Amino acid sequence: MPRLMDVPGYIRFWTASAVSAFGSQVSGLALQILTAVTLSASATEVGLVNAARWAPYLLFGLLAGVLVDRCRRKPMMVTMDLGRAVLLSAIPLLYALDRLSIAALCVCVFAFGVLCLFFEAANQSYVPRLVPKELLNAGYARMEQASAVAGSTGPLIAGVLIRFIGAPLAILVDAITYLMSGMLLASVRAHDPVPDRGARRSLGSELREGVAWVYRHRTLASIALTSHAMLLFNTIVSTVFVVYALRELKIGDFGLGVTYACAGLGAVLGGALSGWVVRRLDVGATLIVFRILAAAAWLPMVLAERGPWGLLSVSLAFFVVSLAISIESPVEMSYRQSVTPDRLRGRMNATIRSFNWGMVAVGAPLGGLLADQVSYRFALWVGLCGAVIQALVLAVSRTRDARAADELEPLATA
């Protein structure tokens, strides 16, 4: 078996992912602080900004999948990276001109989300062209680890940057990383053929084919549907967490950075353990066990109280949730790619991601409304209970479908 690091182009591809992942961690915290503190937004407004980031997945996700399958994927990724660099640069410029408002921020974030949608559909579908099938799980796990390492250091660095130069200028760091990522991807030399134009059908027919592949597949359907629910309820928790941590637990900007850094450490460990775990469990068992763990692990945060134990409780929750997701996610991703023909991968990835992240667009304002109208803790309980239920539904569907075990087992030993 070839080594992953010997695959031509993978090092540059991985480096591009790592660089942009680091910048995204910086801008992720900076946008939260910019919205909640600099612009003094309510929990509902924080939810609206988060929803604007993910609404394009719900609105245009299926269309993106069709277009990705009709185009070469590398040029699309490079173009989207350069576009994201320009858009993020506009946020500090608007702030400097005293034109930045919640509405203007939503517009910028929405446009940024559109570019991310197309980039990610092309990115996920490009990996199987770059990496041999037997190395797919390792390839996705290494990318997950790169993102996790960025997650463990990015928030702390972001906290320092925000303290010294402010949240708007900290966002420029992410703009620079997207520029670097685009340049690295442009230099990757790998097989990226032009799709056969003669095989094209109507836009609607191709769109329906991608949706049917996901939701009529005997194992992909349950995995996809429960993933949508997981993102919905996790978003309720993560949206409320920012204002809950700052205003009720009083952990401060630095505490937020520490919490997200713990999440990053959990993700690093999870990415390292993913291959080891799936070799000892079958794929279905890995998905179920770590979905349940990721849901139940929110409990320490929901029960946290203001004081010295508050930061420890939320940090523990984020660490375990990230650990579980980072073990489960590469397994799910490699399985999805392995059972899907190349001509359908763009549509399959975009279909699942469009509804996954579309649930973020629903869950973010819903979480904000629940927090403002009832209480922060009530919204957190809703998110935790919903996350546990979706994991149990996946377990039940996996148990009832005996044929799924026969299909999933070979991947566990690949």
Side-chain angles (χ1 to χ4, degrees), residues 321-340:
V321 169
S322 295
L323 172 73
I325 290 175
S326 294
I327 289 174
E328 179 262 349
S329 182
V331 176
E332 177 187 336
M333 183 67 68
S334 58
Y335 171 70
R336 281 161 41 184
Q337 312 305 320
S338 68
V339 299
T340 303

Side-chain angles (χ1 to χ4, degrees), residues 64-94:
V66 176
L67 295 179
V68 164
D69 280 338
R70 289 183 171 188
C71 301
R72 293 179 62 214
R73 289 160 189 173
K74 191 182 83 171
M76 179 173 286
M77 291 188 291
V78 173
T79 302
M80 297 303 107
D81 261 348
L82 298 180
R84 290 190 288 184
V86 172
L87 268 174
L88 285 181
S89 299
I91 294 175
L93 177 61
L94 287 171

Side-chain angles (χ1 to χ4, degrees), residues 246-271:
L246 292 175
R247 297 173 185 173
E248 186 164 315
L249 297 183
K250 302 291 186 182
I251 67 173
D253 298 352
F254 183 74
L256 276 182
V258 170
T259 301
Y260 290 140
C262 288
L265 289 173
V268 171
L269 182 58

Side-chain angles (χ1 to χ4, degrees), residues 157-306:
I157 295 173
V160 174
L161 287 173
I162 292 166
R163 177 162 298 186
F164 286 100
I165 65 175
L169 286 179
I171 294 172
L172 275 178
V173 173
D174 198 11
I176 294 170
T177 62
Y178 281 125
L179 178 62
M180 295 172 61
S181 173
M183 295 171 64
L184 283 167
L185 289 174
S187 68
V188 172
R189 298 289 181 264
H191 183 63
D192 188 23
V194 178
D196 181 10
R197 293 179 180 270
R200 289 184 184 178
R201 293 169 292 152
S202 69
L203 188 67
S205 296
E206 293 189 18
L207 189 151
R208 286 191 297 272
E209 184 182 19
V211 173
W213 173 260
V214 172
Y215 297 111
R216 291 181 183 175
H217 194 282
R218 71 173 184 250
T219 52
L220 272 183
S222 60
I223 291 172
L225 289 170
T226 53
S227 291
H228 305 337
M230 178 180 69
L231 264 292
L232 171 67
F233 294 110
N234 278 359
T235 299
I236 291 175
V237 173
S238 60
T239 298
V240 175
F241 167 70
V242 177
V243 287
Y244 169 71
L246 292 175
R247 297 173 185 173
E248 186 164 315
L249 297 183
K250 302 291 186 182
I251 67 173
D253 298 352
F254 183 74
L256 276 182
V258 170
T259 301
Y260 290 140
C262 288
L265 289 173
V268 171
L269 182 58
L273 292 174
S274 181
W276 181 85
V277 170
V278 78
R279 285 192 296 271
R280 283 154 180 79
L281 302 174
D282 67 48
V283 173
T286 301
L287 298 181
I288 292 167
V289 169
F290 290 96
R291 285 274 192 95
I292 293 174
L293 178 60
W298 287 124
L299 187 60
M301 185 181 74
V302 177
L303 298 178
E305 298 290 345
R306 186 183 303 179

Side-chain angles (χ1 to χ4, degrees), residues 2-12 14 135 138-139 142-143:
R3 293 190 312 158
L4 187 62
M5 295 299 106
D6 294 333
V7 174
Y10 183 78
I11 293 294
R12 292 188 182 188
W14 179 87
L135 293 176
R142 296 297 82 76
M143 291 172 65

Side-chain angles (χ1 to χ4, degrees), residues 10-26 81 119 123 142-151 153-154 174 177-178 180-181 184-185:
Y10 183 78
I11 293 294
R12 292 188 182 188
F13 184 84
W14 179 87
T15 303
S17 298
V19 167
S20 60
F22 170 80
S24 295
Q25 291 294 329
V26 174
D81 261 348
F119 177 89
N123 181 273
R142 296 297 82 76
M143 291 172 65
E144 190 85 21
Q145 281 183 296
S147 178
V149 170
T153 57
D174 198 11
T177 62
Y178 281 125
M180 295 172 61
S181 173
L184 283 167
L185 289 174

